[in-house]
Amino acid sequence: MKNISLKAARLILALTFLCCMLFIALTSAFKADGYVIEGNIIAPDGEKVWISYEYSGKKFLDSAVVKNNKVLLKGSLPETVLCTLSNSSNQQSKVILLQNEHVRLIGTMAKFYYAEVSGAAEDALFNKFNKKKFVLTGDYRKELEASSTDFHDRASRVYLDFQRRLDSLTLAFVKENPNATAASIAIIGSHMNSTNVLKAEACYAQLTGLAKRGYYAKRIKAFIDASKAITVGKQAPNFILTDLDGKTFELSKYRGKYLFIDFWASWCKPCREEHPLLKKLNAAYKDQNILFVSISMEASEKNWRQAVADDGLSWIQLNDPGALKGSLAKSYSVMALPCNFILDPNGKIIATKARGQELSDFLLELFSKSK
């Protein structure tokens, strides 16, 4: 009886193992076929639902027509990517972290943003993180109001406490999900947008080898590498852009002068709030060996020119239509605005991200020494 029971147990174990392997094989095969978004969307016949995403510098777009309150989107993704679902009836959209899987979308066109998504495993995981982040952000705004702290004061106790909690939340999420694409995107949102390379690097180190081969993880690695190459003491990368009059500006041709290079955009409120100070400093140091150079990271040339005129900026004004996704932004590791660099006459970086009183003090000390 014991031998029979032992054989039966081994047989059950073997069958269980085979079933698991078959399930994994079938799941993998299904994922390789592509994604399916099956939607029950209350909308007039003929309305369209679009799905779009960006991958490796290219944009992809597909659509399907609503009929009898149903819509079906099919396609194939290179890997798990952030996709935007939008529609033809209004400006509402919904972002979903999608992989090759079968997903259900339920809602109305009138409230498309609130449509419910089910079956998207990575999306559900990322939403859990975002809900916790949303709570932290809400608490932060309440504390700002209660303490009358300036939202732009990055040295305040309220902000530093919020940042500490956000850092802790992000790191814990990455440690719990080191193989997930959602973890990479959480790192991007928490640390690349705040251009904090050390924190980004600490989180990146927690990702698995498989996760590091993903599209978003590669972006984090590129950010880390670029940030290390653009620190104080490093040579500033050369660039060529066009000014307001259509004349060419090449950085390497301005050796022998100090350069203050300011990255900004018309839509960036903190950037434009800094302009009165920059106007004051540019006037104060006009007879010194320093050039002020502003680079608008602006896809719209019209918006750039209008902002320059509105703010009365009189020094060298350049524009990069590649904006924050262009090669210049990557070479200078500009992931968020405002961002600036001060170069010495040899083209080496001597300061980064100096703003407000810190910038004023740095320039005062710099030119006091040079006298």
Side-chain angles (χ1 to χ4, degrees), residues 219-271:
R219 283 180 56 190
I220 299 169
K221 183 62 165 60
F223 163 71
I224 293 170
D225 292 344
S227 296
K228 289 182 176 180
I230 202 72
T231 54
V232 171
K234 301 287 186 179
Q235 194 74 27
N238 189 37
F239 62 82
I240 301 174
L241 290 173
T242 303
D243 67 14
L244 287 166
D245 298 321
K247 295 179 182 178
T248 298
F249 177 95
E250 184 172 356
L251 180 67
S252 60
K253 292 183 177 180
Y254 287 85
R255 294 284 158 72
K257 290 181 175 291
Y258 288 95
L259 289 173
F260 172 75
I261 302 175
D262 182 50
F263 291 90
W264 70 290
S266 66
W267 45 262
C268 172
K269 186 178 178 181
C271 300

Side-chain angles (χ1 to χ4, degrees), residues 28 61 71 77 92 117 134 136 139 142 188 199 316 357:
S28 299
L61 178 69
V71 65
L77 299 171
Q92 294 183 30
V117 175
F134 181 78
L136 284 183
D139 291 343
K142 289 177 182 177
I188 290 173
K199 292 175 183 178
I316 298 171
Q357 191 60 47

Side-chain angles (χ1 to χ4, degrees), residues 45-58:
D45 285 356
E47 295 284 2
K48 285 186 176 181
V49 174
W50 282 284
I51 180 170
S52 61
Y53 64 93
E54 185 177 311
Y55 185 79
S56 295
K58 295 181 180 179

Side-chain angles (χ1 to χ4, degrees), residues 133-160:
K133 188 175 179 179
F134 181 78
V135 171
L136 284 183
T137 304
D139 291 343
Y140 168 55
R141 291 187 179 279
K142 289 177 182 177
E143 288 185 46
L144 281 176
E145 187 176 347
S147 61
S148 299
T149 302
D150 182 2
F151 176 78
H152 301 300
D153 185 358
R154 295 297 184 257
S156 71
R157 177 199 60 79
V158 178
Y159 174 78
L160 293 176

Side-chain angles (χ1 to χ4, degrees), residues 55-297:
Y55 185 79
S56 295
K58 295 181 180 179
K59 293 182 179 180
F60 299 84
L61 178 69
D62 199 4
S63 65
V65 176
V66 177
K67 186 175 181 179
N68 296 326
N69 295 325
K70 295 185 183 298
V71 65
L72 188 66
L73 288 157
K74 291 183 178 181
S76 181
L77 299 171
E79 59 177 284
T80 305
V81 293
L82 277 173
C83 298
T84 299
L85 298 176
S86 54
N87 65 78
S88 58
S89 95
N90 54 49
Q91 299 299 312
Q92 294 183 30
S93 61
K94 186 171 187 67
V95 177
I96 173 175
L97 185 54
L98 185 67
Q99 54 190 330
N100 290 321
E101 58 196 340
H102 196 124
V103 174
R104 294 292 303 275
L105 181 70
I106 301 175
T108 68
M109 204 70 96
K111 295 184 178 181
F112 193 72
Y113 177 82
Y114 296 99
E116 294 182 5
V117 175
S118 61
E122 286 264 11
D123 190 64
L125 182 64
F126 191 47
N127 282 337
K128 287 183 180 179
F129 170 77
N130 278 333
K131 286 179 181 178
K132 292 179 180 179
K133 188 175 179 179
F134 181 78
V135 171
L136 284 183
T137 304
D139 291 343
Y140 168 55
R141 291 187 179 279
K142 289 177 182 177
E143 288 185 46
L144 281 176
E145 187 176 347
S147 61
S148 299
T149 302
D150 182 2
F151 176 78
H152 301 300
D153 185 358
R154 295 297 184 257
S156 71
R157 177 199 60 79
V158 178
Y159 174 78
L160 293 176
D161 185 53
F162 162 70
Q163 193 62 56
R164 178 187 57 77
R165 287 183 288 171
L166 179 58
D167 294 344
S168 178
L169 173 66
T170 305
L171 183 59
F173 180 73
V174 175
K175 284 183 175 180
E176 290 170 7
N177 307 281
N179 203 42
T181 300
S184 293
I185 297 174
I187 296 171
I188 290 173
S190 294
H191 300 314
M192 282 175 63
N193 289 338
S194 64
T195 64
N196 195 311
V197 64
L198 294 179
K199 292 175 183 178
E201 190 171 24
C203 286
Y204 176 81
Q206 301 298 322
L207 298 176
T208 64
L210 178 63
K212 288 177 180 177
R213 293 198 291 271
Y215 171 59
Y216 298 103
K218 287 179 180 178
R219 283 180 56 190
I220 299 169
K221 183 62 165 60
F223 163 71
I224 293 170
D225 292 344
S227 296
K228 289 182 176 180
I230 202 72
T231 54
V232 171
K234 301 287 186 179
Q235 194 74 27
N238 189 37
F239 62 82
I240 301 174
L241 290 173
T242 303
D243 67 14
L244 287 166
D245 298 321
K247 295 179 182 178
T248 298
F249 177 95
E250 184 172 356
L251 180 67
S252 60
K253 292 183 177 180
Y254 287 85
R255 294 284 158 72
K257 290 181 175 291
Y258 288 95
L259 289 173
F260 172 75
I261 302 175
D262 182 50
F263 291 90
W264 70 290
S266 66
W267 45 262
C268 172
K269 186 178 178 181
C271 300
R272 300 186 69 171
E273 288 177 341
E274 192 83 346
H275 282 164
L277 173 63
L278 297 189
K279 290 169 69 174
K280 179 180 178 182
L281 293 174
N282 180 60
Y285 293 97
K286 65 179 180 179
D287 296 326
Q288 300 290 343
N289 189 34
I290 185 170
L291 280 180
F292 278 59
V293 180
S294 285
I295 304 174
S296 173
M297 310 304 280

Side-chain angles (χ1 to χ4, degrees), residues 19-30:
C19 286
C20 289
M21 293 304 292
L22 180 61
F23 174 76
I24 293 172
L26 288 172
T27 302
S28 299
F30 172 75

Side-chain angles (χ1 to χ4, degrees), residues 24-45:
I24 293 172
L26 288 172
T27 302
S28 299
F30 172 75
K31 287 185 177 181
D33 289 338
Y35 67 85
V36 176
I37 300 178
E38 187 179 352
N40 290 90
I41 302 294
I42 298 175
D45 285 356

